[in-house]
Amino acid sequence: NSVVAAFEVERTTSIYSGLLRMSDLATLSPNLNFPLYIVAPEGRMDKVRRELSRPTFQYLDLHKRCGFFSDEDLIHEADAIVRWASDPAAIERLAHKVGDVSMGE
């Protein structure tokens, strides 16, 4: 009965609104340290980085907690994930890390 990860799938909404929902979750559960992931088309990774440079997301360290999965990678690797992922740690190993972003980059 615990949260092991949170995913925000961005197909029809903006990256900003997805990250805002992630920040709400992180704010509402400050004592829980579960990983956060954005799932979106590969071409939106730069947008994720730009949005994470906003002060509000920096303040919550969302830029350090967020991983990224492209739709394309998940579809391509789906069979292997189902077959070989035995626990939530496998997801962390597969995610692209958004990395440390700062204002002005």
Side-chain angles (χ1 to χ4, degrees), residues 18-100:
L19 289 172
L20 192 56
R21 285 187 290 276
M22 287 284 195
S23 70
D24 286 346
L25 181 60
T27 300
L28 290 171
S29 52
N31 297 324
L32 299 178
N33 191 22
F34 47 84
L36 308 170
Y37 300 101
I38 299 292
V39 180
E42 181 70 37
R44 296 182 81 187
M45 179 62 156
D46 286 339
K47 180 69 171 169
V48 171
R49 283 194 175 108
R50 279 192 309 274
E51 293 294 349
L52 283 171
S53 71
R54 290 175 178 259
T56 192
F57 300 140
Q58 293 275 306
Y59 178 77
L60 293 171
D61 280 340
L62 226 56
H63 61 294
K64 294 178 182 174
R65 291 182 66 184
C66 273
F68 178 84
F69 287 102
S70 72
D71 295 346
E72 299 88 349
D73 285 348
L74 284 179
I75 291 167
H76 183 260
E77 300 294 340
D79 290 338
I81 292 168
V82 170
R83 183 173 182 188
W84 299 109
S86 58
D87 62 49
I91 297 299
E92 183 66 19
R93 289 189 302 270
L94 294 170
H96 298 281
K97 294 313 285 183
V98 174
D100 195 12

